[in-house]
Structure formats: C-alpha cells, structure tokens
Amino acid sequence: MILTLPDYIYVFMEDLQLAGRSKLTLKQYESDIKKFFVWMDKHKENTEFDTFKALRAEDIRSYFLHLHHLQLSQATIRRLASVLSRLMKFHQCIAAEEIHKLAAASPLRALNDKDFITDKEFTQLMKRMKTKDSEQQKKSARNYLLNRNIAIVLLIRTYGLTPTEIHSLTMKHINFAQKELMVQTNEQRRTFQLQESMMNYLRDYFFSIPPLFRPKYNSKDPLFVAFNNISLSFQYDYDRQRPKDLSVRAIQEMIKDEVRLANLRKISAVTLRNTSILDFLQLGYLDDVLMERFALTSEASLRRYKQYLENISENN
C-alpha cells in the first residue's frame, strides 16, 4: 500500500500550489494520484521515476480497465484521467496524450428528465428558500443565511457555476460597482455580468456579515464565508488571518437541505447546472461559446445535452 507518494509527485503538487490551486483541490489531486500509484506499485512492482516515465499506452489501458472493474462512475474515471494526464504532461511522459484520448472517449450516461430541474420545481425551491423558519425555529442558522443560500443557488442555476468554482471565489473576483463576477478555472478566466436581482442578494448577504468577519474588498478573502450553526456566527481563520472559506461540501449539503425543505425529489448542484447548460444550448449558442462559458473539457460532454434535446424532439 502506498502511504507516501514519490518525491517527483510533490514537485508537481508544489507547481499546482504556486499556480494558486486551493487546498481542497490539492488534497483531491493527491488522493486521485495515490490511486494510480497503488495500482502502479502492484503491477509494475515499483514507483520509481524511470518506471513512471516509461509507461506506455498498454499500461494506461490496463489501469483504466482496473478502474472499470472497480465499478467506478464514468464521472470519477474521467476525473482520475484528467488528473493523471496533467501529471504526465508536467513530467513530459510518453503516454500523456493517450490518457487525454481515453478521458475524452470515456462513455457518458445518457441524460434524462431527472437530470434537470423544471421551472415549476425551481419556483417551488425559490419560494421555500425565501421563507424564514418558524418562530419555534427562530435560532435556526438558516434564517441568517437566506440571501447567501439564494445567491449560491442562482450562481449555479442561472450562471452555471460549480460548487468548486463558488468555493474558490474571492473578493478579487467580484466587482459590486460594475456588477461583474470573474471565475478562474485552471488557465481559463470567465467574466459574468450579474443581474441586479443577483447583486441584491449578494450585497444583502455581504452586509449581513459583522464588520470584524466581513471579507475585505479586492482581497483574497473568500466571497462566501463559513458559518457556525451552533454559535450562529460567521467563522474566521486565525491562522490565515482572514474569514474562513465556505467549503464545497457545505454548499452541496445546503442545497440538499433546501431541496428537502421544499419537498422536492432529489435535486443537486449538478441538476441545477445541467439545466443552465441546456438553457443556453436551446438559445442557439455555438459550441465553442458554450464550452468556454461552462468550462467544459470535451465536446463529448456537450454532446449529451444535444442528444437529450434530440430525444425530446423525436418523442414529441
């Protein structure tokens, strides 16, 4: 069992850190890479750099066959492929391009109606999210966070952001005066012009934070600050001397809770983002525009939405 990764992996991790990757991203990368080196240690009997550099296409195919035998989801396999591809490209390995082809070619499950939220469901969700808890639940943390929660859900449903992208937003990424939001994904930068209603939720949330814990303008402070449900207070990271980041998991759990309170079926951040992508596809935007707007990594991802629309058209 691999407990510690080889030194040449940490050179790659240090490069990611210097590029500004979050601690959460680095932790995920390390976990994903470790899965590959557990396999490599077993099948190649060592994890030395020369062995790693010499890996060929047949080795990579063997690894992906191993992942399929573990019955991992296609989404997980694609993520592992993407991480491994970056690592091998960083070290200029021969098999790097083969991984990219395998990642792009991995079959994706066909989308169906359950992968999208209907207008009726979204209206019901928004109505419940705007409703405070009862007097008996007055000390509920949720009552302090209505505007924050609505802003997050709208960023996913209307603008197509992911929980990871929302977690990574800092005060440098938001311009309250110009109503602009900038999202940095790897080497790609996307700018969104926010609607006034969206800005109102963000401003109300921002000024609900006590000045001592409030993120500073044009700083690396997180736009969305973690909240302690017991003390009913926004949290501060004293080691880093700034407000504490709201985690990806907290965003996902918030959506799950709000969906449950609205008495809706299982709806996640992925469901909301899927619907945003579908909306823009129906508006007739070109493929390259859509891939840039939603930071899609392959045309195969976009093809699923097109196929879904074709299936709807054929059944009507």
Side-chain angles (χ1 to χ4, degrees), residues 8-21:
Y8 61 88
I9 300 305
Y10 289 106
V11 174
F12 170 67
M13 298 295 289
E14 287 173 7
D15 185 74
L16 290 175
Q17 187 175 16
L18 290 173
R21 300 295 188 272

Side-chain angles (χ1 to χ4, degrees), residues 18-60:
L18 290 173
R21 300 295 188 272
S22 68
K23 285 186 177 180
L24 184 68
T25 298
L26 294 174
K27 186 176 181 181
Q28 184 66 66
Y29 266 64
E30 184 173 354
S31 174
D32 289 347
I33 291 171
K34 190 169 288 187
K35 288 180 176 63
F36 176 74
F37 278 88
V38 168
W39 173 87
M40 185 176 165
D41 186 55
K42 180 179 178 180
H43 293 272
K44 292 295 180 180
E45 299 182 349
N46 72 75
T47 59
E48 295 176 4
F49 185 63
D50 288 345
T51 304
F52 175 71
K53 285 275 287 185
L55 290 173
R56 295 295 193 273
E58 54 267 26
D59 298 312
I60 303 304

Side-chain angles (χ1 to χ4, degrees), residues 62-300:
S62 177
Y63 173 59
F64 279 96
L65 183 61
H66 163 71
L67 295 180
H68 282 290
H69 285 164
L70 293 177
Q71 297 185 325
L72 300 180
S73 70
Q74 289 297 332
T76 298
I77 291 175
R78 289 198 311 278
R79 189 191 74 233
L80 293 170
S82 178
V83 171
L84 186 57
S85 176
R86 287 180 180 275
L87 170 64
M88 299 192 86
K89 285 179 179 178
F90 177 80
H91 284 298
Q92 299 181 329
C93 296
I94 298 171
E97 290 304 320
E98 182 68 18
I99 298 173
H100 177 73
K101 293 174 185 176
L102 286 168
S106 294
L108 295 166
R109 176 183 63 79
L111 296 168
N112 58 56
D113 291 347
K114 292 183 179 179
D115 293 306
F116 305 94
I117 186 170
T118 66
D119 290 343
K120 182 179 179 180
E121 288 172 331
F122 189 67
T123 298
Q124 185 174 333
L125 177 61
M126 284 291 100
K127 182 178 179 180
R128 183 62 183 88
M129 290 187 72
K130 293 175 182 178
T131 305
K132 287 190 174 183
D133 289 336
S134 64
E135 288 296 317
Q136 290 78 9
Q137 299 171 297
K138 205 166 187 178
K139 290 189 176 181
S140 166
R142 182 178 173 277
N143 285 347
Y144 290 81
L145 303 169
L146 295 185
N147 290 308
R148 186 205 72 176
N149 293 350
I150 292 171
I152 289 173
V153 167
L154 288 176
L155 284 173
I156 301 172
R157 170 62 185 88
T158 306
Y159 300 92
L161 272 62
T162 67
T164 300
E165 289 170 340
I166 292 172
H167 156 78
S168 301
L169 291 174
T170 72
M171 293 300 293
K172 280 185 174 291
H173 296 135
I174 183 77
N175 187 319
F176 284 103
Q178 298 297 323
K179 303 176 187 175
E180 285 185 349
L181 183 71
M182 189 269 286
V183 179
Q184 185 77 41
T185 307
N186 299 328
E187 293 79 24
Q188 185 182 14
R189 178 177 296 180
R190 298 127 67 203
T191 302
F192 298 89
Q193 194 69 41
L194 302 180
Q195 299 170 0
E196 185 61 39
S197 57
M198 178 78 231
M199 291 304 305
N200 288 337
Y201 288 121
L202 284 172
R203 289 192 194 98
D204 288 346
Y205 147 71
F206 180 75
F207 288 109
S208 73
I209 305 174
L212 184 63
F213 300 98
R214 189 178 298 161
K216 297 179 179 64
Y217 289 110
N218 197 34
S219 72
K220 291 186 178 181
D221 290 357
L223 173 59
F224 291 105
V225 182
F227 192 82
N228 188 311
N229 293 346
I230 305 301
S231 63
L232 301 179
S233 60
F234 288 94
Q235 295 183 276
Y236 196 82
D237 188 336
Y238 289 96
D239 290 334
R240 304 174 74 182
Q241 289 296 300
R242 71 184 196 191
K244 186 175 181 180
D245 306 47
L246 180 66
S247 70
V248 173
R249 182 177 177 82
I251 293 170
Q252 294 169 332
E253 289 298 318
M254 177 276 290
I255 294 172
K256 184 189 297 184
D257 289 342
E258 292 293 345
V259 167
R260 177 180 54 80
L261 290 171
N263 292 317
L264 293 170
R265 63 182 173 86
K266 184 178 179 181
I267 291 171
S268 67
V270 174
T271 315
L272 296 167
R273 175 174 152 86
N274 281 345
T275 312
S276 181
I277 296 172
L278 191 68
D279 283 350
F280 277 81
L281 183 59
Q282 289 177 302
L283 288 171
Y285 284 89
L286 297 176
D287 288 5
D288 56 347
V289 175
L290 291 170
M291 290 183 67
E292 181 179 352
R293 179 182 177 87
F294 295 103
L296 298 175
T297 56
S298 74
E299 292 182 2

